[in-house]
Amino acid sequence: DARVTQTPRHKVTEMGQEVTMRCQPILGHNTVFWYRQTMMQGLELLAYFRNRAPLDDSGMPKDRFSAEMPDATLATLKIQPSEPRDSAVYFCASGLRAGGSYEQYFGPGTRLTVT
Amino acid sequence: AQSVAQPEDQVNVAEGNPLTVKCTYSVSGNPYLFWYVQYPNRGLQFLLKYITGDNLVKGSYGFEAEFNKSQTSFHLKKPSALVSDSALYFCAVRDKNSGYSTLTFGKGTMLLVSP
């Protein structure tokens, strides 16, 4: 049963520290998405990649957030420096673009708390 | 631009009764429509989708949804609710004519099924 995996599941850090979140998409999926979920804003798309190339990162604060796919099995989301307002659950999702009939498969999320 | 509205923050229903979770959408072209469910401390799970064809779509766990083009709606339904259906439900849309693979999610509706 293929799944998207994310590490770490929980992260508590102090303001100003660097945070790196990792995602392993489902093997063979060619699109990867990063979302942030908060009570106030709901589910927000931060960035997405197709075939490892970034296609849209307009939802991401560029001054502190960066997203990369070093290879097809790893996507990373980095926050430097972190701030308390970054506290949220960050989800990675992967999908396979085959015509229009596809779904996004979500990982379990990384719960980030910045103090 | 594409958007989704879930007008109810919360829906309460007694076990055994039918349930409906509402969703309306806006796209410039024809829509792909999705429902996802999120259980506590978990990622989103795909429930069902409408791509084309029959307006009544059946999905996982006995859920179904009806696509209504004239009302631009895609309400989620189940004939008999279970306590275990209690979760957060998200409706999502993608414009078929969009060159991007991104989905736009609604804010979510919390479904509470009482014993």
Side-chain angles (χ1 to χ4, degrees):
Chain A
D1 187 21
R3 297 187 181 191
V4 175
T5 58
Q6 289 186 248
T7 57
R9 293 293 311 276
H10 302 272
K11 176 72 176 179
V12 180
T13 191
E14 292 183 348
M15 181 174 62
Q17 297 298 305
E18 178 178 301
V19 175
T20 298
M21 291 169 271
R22 294 177 174 82
C23 167
Q24 183 172 6
I26 293 173
L27 191 64
H29 283 189
N30 66 348
T31 55
V32 173
F33 306 82
W34 282 105
Y35 291 91
R36 175 170 63 185
Q37 186 178 36
T38 61
M39 290 292 292
M40 294 299 295
Q41 299 297 328
L43 200 61
E44 303 173 274
L45 177 67
L46 297 176
Y48 106 95
F49 295 77
R50 184 184 300 159
N51 297 323
R52 295 177 55 202
L55 289 192
D56 186 0
D57 60 1
S58 58
M60 226 165 48
K62 301 288 193 306
D63 56 338
R64 299 184 300 108
F65 284 60
S66 61
E68 295 179 345
M69 278 200 76
D71 60 61
T73 65
L74 177 64
T76 62
L77 180 67
K78 188 176 295 186
I79 307 174
Q80 168 62 24
S82 57
E83 298 180 1
R85 59 180 168 151
D86 300 330
S87 297
V89 181
Y90 290 81
F91 289 105
C92 173
S94 72
L96 183 64
R97 188 169 187 264
S101 180
Y102 71 99
E103 303 97 42
Q104 294 182 19
Y105 295 83
F106 282 73
T110 294
R111 182 174 296 276
L112 174 65
T113 303
V114 184
T115 60
Chain B
Q2 53 196 37
S3 65
V4 173
Q6 294 181 242
E8 301 152 318
D9 290 336
Q10 185 169 307
V11 170
N12 297 296
V13 64
E15 188 173 34
N17 284 356
L19 69 88
T20 299
V21 182
K22 295 179 181 177
C23 170
T24 58
Y25 66 89
S26 175
V27 295
S28 56
N30 291 315
Y32 294 138
L33 293 156
F34 303 80
W35 275 101
Y36 284 80
V37 60
Q38 184 180 27
Y39 297 101
N41 300 313
R42 303 283 295 276
L44 277 68
Q45 291 177 231
F46 170 79
L47 267 183
L48 52 79
K49 65 186 176 188
Y50 170 81
I51 302 296
T52 188
D54 195 347
N55 290 342
L56 185 63
V57 178
K58 294 188 184 297
S60 307
Y61 313 121
F63 284 92
E64 59 188 28
E66 185 166 11
F67 170 61
N68 187 316
K69 188 172 184 177
S70 62
Q71 297 186 3
T72 62
S73 66
F74 190 57
H75 301 332
L76 181 70
K77 299 183 181 185
K78 187 173 182 181
S80 179
L82 300 173
V83 173
S84 58
D85 292 330
S86 298
L88 186 58
Y89 290 81
F90 290 92
C91 181
V93 68
R94 178 195 162 211
D95 189 331
K96 280 185 184 179
N97 296 327
S98 170
Y100 291 113
S101 302
T102 58
L103 300 179
T104 298
F105 286 84
K107 292 282 189 183
T109 298
M110 179 64 71
L111 173 66
L112 293 176
V113 182
S114 55

